[in-house]
Amino acid sequence: LSDTKVGDTICDPSNIIDKPLPGFKPSKPVVFCGLFPVDNSEHQKLKEGLAKLKLNDSSFSYEAENSSALGLGFRCGFLGLLHLEIVTQRLEREFDINLITTTPGVIYKINKRDGSVQELQNPTDMPDPVQILSIEEPWIKATIITPDQYLGSVIKICQDKRGIQTNLTYSGNRAVLSYELPLNEVVFDFYDRLKSVSSGYASFDWQFESYKKEKLVKISVLVNQESVDALSMIVHSERSASRGRSMCKRLKDLIPRHQFKIPIQAAIGGKIIARETIPPFRKDVTAKLYGGDVTRKMKLLEKQKKGKKKMREFGQVNIPQEAFISALKFDDD
C-alpha cells in the first residue's frame, strides 16, 4: 500500500472490479507558469526531470512551450503556489537544473461570439478581440485572520487587489476578514505582502468560488517594434495603463543601451498605452572639426543620423535573462 494515492480503489484480488469507486475526480491545475532552463543545453535534462516527477506526483501537468525570449521550455500547471515552489526546488536540487520561472497565471474562460468557450492559460494564445464576447476570470473566497492593529493595512491590500469584503468579525483581539478576490491578483505577491504588513501574524486561507465576467484586456510589450510574447499579460482594463507604464519603466532600467535608440511600448491591440525610450550611445563626430563653415558640422551630424536610423531598422535588441526575470517580478508599487 506504499504506492497508493488519494482516489485509488483497493479491491480483493479474487474479486477484481472493473471501474474505480465514484466520488474522486482527477486534480485540475489552478496556477500555470513557464519553466525554462537557464542553459538551453539542459532542455532535455529538464524534460526527463519533469517526466520522473510526474510518476509520483500526478497532480501537476506540463507541455512543451517555445518563447522568443527564453527559448525552449515547458508550460506547467500546479495546484497552487506552494506546489509550484516544491516542484521547482526538487528540479533544482535533485536534477541539478538552473531554472527560470515566469510569472504565475490562472485559467481564463473566453466566451466567443460563435457560442464556443475557450480555456486560456497563456496570454499569447488569446484570440482576436473581434471574436470575443466576454472574458471570465476565477474568483476565490478568502478568510484572513489578523491582529486588529494590522486591520487597516490588510484591508488596503485586499482593496488594491480588487477584493470585495463580505464579512468582518472579531475573536478577542483578532479580526476575521472574509473577502472575495480574483485569483489572478492573489497568485503573484498577495501572501508575501500580507505577511509583510502584519509582521508575519496574519493567516490566509482560500477556496475556489466561481468564474465571473470582468473587463479584461491583454497587454503586449513591444521592444524596438517587435512583440515580446513572454512579457504579455492579462489585466483588468482599469489597471491597464498603470501596469503598462510600470512595465515600460522597469524595462528601460533593465535593458542595456545599444548603438541605436530603442523604443519600449505597451499596447492593447493596436493602441499604445505607454512608452519609454532607451537613448543610444552617441559618438561625438564633430570633435575632429576645428573651424570652417557650419555646414561641415551639419553634414557629419546628418550622416550619423542616417546611420542610427539604419541600425534601428535592422538591429537586434538582446534582452538579458536577468533583466527579463526582474521585469516579470514588478508590481504597482
Side-chain angles (χ1 to χ4, degrees):
L1 298 178
S2 59
D3 295 332
T4 56
K5 301 182 289 295
V6 174
D8 288 350
T9 298
I10 302 174
C11 62
D12 191 334
S14 61
N15 185 21
I16 298 177
I17 59 177
D18 298 332
K19 297 180 181 180
L21 294 176
F24 292 97
K25 296 180 180 179
S27 58
K28 291 185 178 180
V30 177
V31 176
F32 288 83
C33 77
L35 295 182
F36 297 86
V38 173
D39 186 355
N40 289 330
S41 63
E42 293 184 338
H43 176 263
Q44 184 63 29
K45 193 176 179 181
L46 174 60
K47 183 179 180 180
E48 294 174 356
L50 287 170
K52 290 179 180 179
L53 288 182
K54 180 74 174 176
L55 292 175
N56 56 17
D57 184 3
S58 59
S59 57
F60 84 93
S61 61
Y62 67 94
E63 60 181 15
E65 182 181 27
N66 187 12
S67 168
S68 57
L70 298 175
L72 295 174
F74 296 90
R75 188 76 177 175
C76 303
F78 304 93
L79 300 179
L81 283 183
L82 178 61
H83 190 204
L84 184 157
E85 188 176 350
I86 291 172
V87 172
T88 53
Q89 287 186 0
R90 288 191 64 184
L91 287 170
E92 291 177 348
R93 295 176 182 177
E94 297 178 19
F95 301 97
D96 193 23
I97 304 173
N98 294 320
L99 292 175
I100 297 173
T101 305
T102 63
T103 305
V106 298
I107 304 176
Y108 299 91
K109 289 185 178 180
I110 310 294
N111 299 315
K112 295 185 178 180
R113 296 188 182 277
D114 59 5
S116 61
V117 179
Q118 174 185 345
E119 289 191 350
L120 184 68
Q121 302 175 7
N122 194 334
T124 58
D125 297 330
M126 178 176 278
D128 192 289
V130 179
Q131 304 175 11
I132 299 175
L133 181 63
S134 63
I135 304 177
E136 299 179 8
E137 67 173 339
W139 281 64
I140 63 171
K141 185 177 181 180
T143 301
I144 303 170
I145 303 175
T146 179
D148 53 7
Q149 64 262 37
Y150 305 115
L151 181 61
S153 300
V154 172
I155 290 178
K156 184 179 184 304
I157 292 176
C158 294
Q159 290 176 341
D160 291 343
K161 297 297 185 180
R162 298 191 284 129
I164 301 173
Q165 183 176 326
T166 57
N167 194 20
L168 171 59
T169 58
Y170 281 89
S171 176
N173 64 343
R174 292 184 177 272
V176 181
L177 278 164
S178 295
Y179 261 91
E180 292 180 0
L181 291 160
L183 183 58
N184 186 35
E185 300 281 358
V186 174
V187 298
F188 184 49
D189 63 346
F190 179 82
Y191 188 73
D192 293 338
R193 291 182 61 186
L194 180 67
K195 287 294 185 180
S196 177
V197 300
S198 65
S199 301
Y201 286 107
S203 63
F204 173 67
D205 185 30
W206 64 272
Q207 59 183 6
F208 175 77
E209 186 178 16
S210 63
Y211 275 85
K212 295 184 180 180
K213 292 182 180 180
E214 295 288 344
K215 294 181 179 179
L216 303 173
V217 294
K218 172 190 170 185
I219 296 181
S220 302
V221 177
L222 295 87
V223 178
N224 197 28
Q225 310 298 329
E226 292 186 6
S227 177
V228 182
D229 293 339
L231 292 177
S232 299
M233 51 187 167
I234 297 177
V235 300
H236 197 273
S237 59
E238 295 180 356
R239 301 181 175 215
S240 58
S242 61
R243 288 287 180 93
R245 285 194 298 269
S246 298
M247 177 64 82
C248 290
K249 288 180 180 178
R250 179 62 63 90
L251 286 174
K252 181 183 178 181
D253 297 333
L254 295 172
I255 297 177
R257 294 170 68 181
H258 288 57
Q259 292 291 341
F260 52 91
K261 180 172 62 176
I262 303 173
I264 303 173
Q265 299 167 311
I268 300 176
K271 180 182 179 182
I272 304 298
I273 60 172
R275 174 184 170 122
E276 295 287 341
T277 303
I278 301 176
F281 289 118
R282 183 177 180 273
K283 180 181 178 181
D284 189 0
V285 293
T286 62
K288 61 184 178 182
L289 298 182
Y290 53 90
D293 189 56
V294 71
T295 55
R296 296 180 63 199
K297 179 179 178 181
M298 298 306 298
K299 183 178 178 181
L300 288 174
L301 291 175
E302 189 65 26
K303 183 178 179 181
Q304 184 187 45
K305 183 179 178 181
K306 290 181 179 178
K308 295 288 185 183
K309 182 179 179 181
K310 186 175 181 181
M311 279 194 291
R312 186 168 67 250
E313 292 175 354
F314 300 101
Q316 295 279 336
V317 179
N318 296 319
I319 304 177
Q321 290 176 343
E322 296 81 6
F324 189 84
I325 300 168
S326 300
L328 291 172
K329 294 181 179 178
F330 82 99
D331 54 49
D332 293 336
D333 296 337

